[in-house]
Amino acid sequence: MIGILGGTFDPVHYGHLRPALEVREVFGLTEIRLLPSAHPPHREQPVATALMRARMLELAIQNQSGFVIDTRELDRAGRSYMIDTLKSFRLEFPEQTLILFVGADAFKNLTSWHCWQQLFDYAHIVVMTRPGVQLQELDGYFAAKKANGISELTQAPAGKLFFQPVTQLEISATAIRQMIAKKHNPGFLLPDAVIEYIKQHKLYES
Ligand code: ATP
């Protein structure tokens, strides 16, 4: 089973890393792939370049077994649509169960993603709880896809929806960028090596 966690990672922080580690263990994933998005279609464009965001991910996960940085969205021109990403994963791993992990805030916007219903043809979707984000009752489409236990996800390569509680860390990249712009110390919200990189490159200072 392979896990996929897409994001802008501008910058990566413990609110990404701790839940990623937890779901890797809970779902017994062979690996969790962290995918920086080149041109996220649903939001403001990132502050740091794609290469810098990938480098910060590298610094964050050094020596963490089972964590892989996947740059396929950076190597592709144009907007980073998740559906294209999942199609490319499916070509590479025809037999594997794939799980796309999204935070609760991302799940709330899922129906605005390009070809969102097709995502389930290629992967399961697992929603990770996130502080401050309340999920409403599922509509019929999602309710029909909902799995009651992890074992249901192991029985098919794709197609199910599942909700996974993770340690609640009220950390966001936006708050970290604002903190740095105000010259406040973002220590203990993200790895020291990433903070060092941000300082060296004077990122997020204005
Ligand atoms: P920004 O504040 O710039 O919007 P972010 O902190 O939300 O960034 P992203 O890179 O956009 O980070 O997030 C990538 C994925 O990780 C999304 O699915 C998001 O919901 C999830 N995520 C981010 N932070 C957390 C957190 N603290 N807890 C759980 N999931 C998170």
Side-chain angles (χ1 to χ4, degrees):
M1 244 200 276
I2 294 180
I4 302 163
L5 175 61
T8 39
F9 302 111
D10 189 23
V12 59
H13 53 70
Y14 288 132
H16 302 123
L17 296 166
R18 177 67 209 171
L21 190 147
E22 289 177 4
V23 297
R24 176 164 184 251
E25 288 186 340
V26 170
F27 292 84
L29 304 172
T30 24
E31 54 188 40
I32 175 103
R33 298 230 172 178
L34 305 178
L35 259 97
S37 160
H39 307 288
H42 300 285
R43 49 170 296 147
E44 281 176 29
Q45 293 309 298
V47 177
T49 65
L51 283 178
M52 285 172 148
R53 290 178 288 117
R55 179 71 190 132
M56 290 190 276
L57 277 167
E58 265 169 27
L59 291 167
I61 66 162
Q62 6 179 356
N63 305 324
Q64 188 62 53
S65 74
F67 277 58
V68 175
I69 298 159
D70 191 305
T71 56
R72 74 188 63 212
E73 292 196 348
L74 306 185
D75 303 333
R76 207 168 60 212
R79 292 185 150 199
S80 311
Y81 290 122
M82 185 50 78
I83 189 66
D84 298 329
T85 302
L86 292 187
K87 282 181 186 168
S88 114
F89 265 103
R90 189 42 86 202
L91 281 174
E92 190 176 339
F93 303 104
E95 310 286 334
Q96 288 261 14
T97 296
L98 298 176
I99 303 184
L100 173 64
F101 289 94
V102 294
D105 56 317
F107 178 67
K108 282 185 116 172
N109 294 324
L110 194 82
T111 55
S112 68
W113 291 17
H114 186 55
C115 300
W116 66 273
Q117 286 169 320
Q118 282 180 36
L119 298 171
F120 287 101
D121 295 340
Y122 298 93
H124 299 304
I125 296 183
V126 170
V127 182
M128 307 180 298
T129 49
R130 190 167 179 181
V133 185
Q134 295 296 325
L135 289 169
Q136 283 146 10
E137 212 172 298
L138 292 181
D139 70 13
Y141 183 85
F142 286 129
K145 301 225 168 275
K146 189 166 172 242
N148 292 313
I150 292 177
S151 61
E152 279 186 53
L153 273 61
T154 57
Q155 284 158 20
K160 290 286 179 191
L161 174 67
F162 190 69
F163 293 83
Q164 177 62 41
V166 292
T167 298
Q168 298 294 281
L169 296 167
E170 199 170 354
I171 305 174
S172 75
T174 303
I176 292 173
R177 292 193 302 272
Q178 288 171 350
M179 219 175 259
I180 295 169
K182 288 184 192 152
K183 303 197 187 312
H184 293 169
N185 184 348
F188 306 126
L189 297 175
L190 68 173
D192 285 344
V194 178
I195 296 180
E196 207 39 55
Y197 182 92
I198 290 171
K199 276 189 196 150
Q200 272 169 15
H201 293 84
K202 302 192 185 313
L203 278 171
Y204 315 124
E205 287 183 2
S206 56

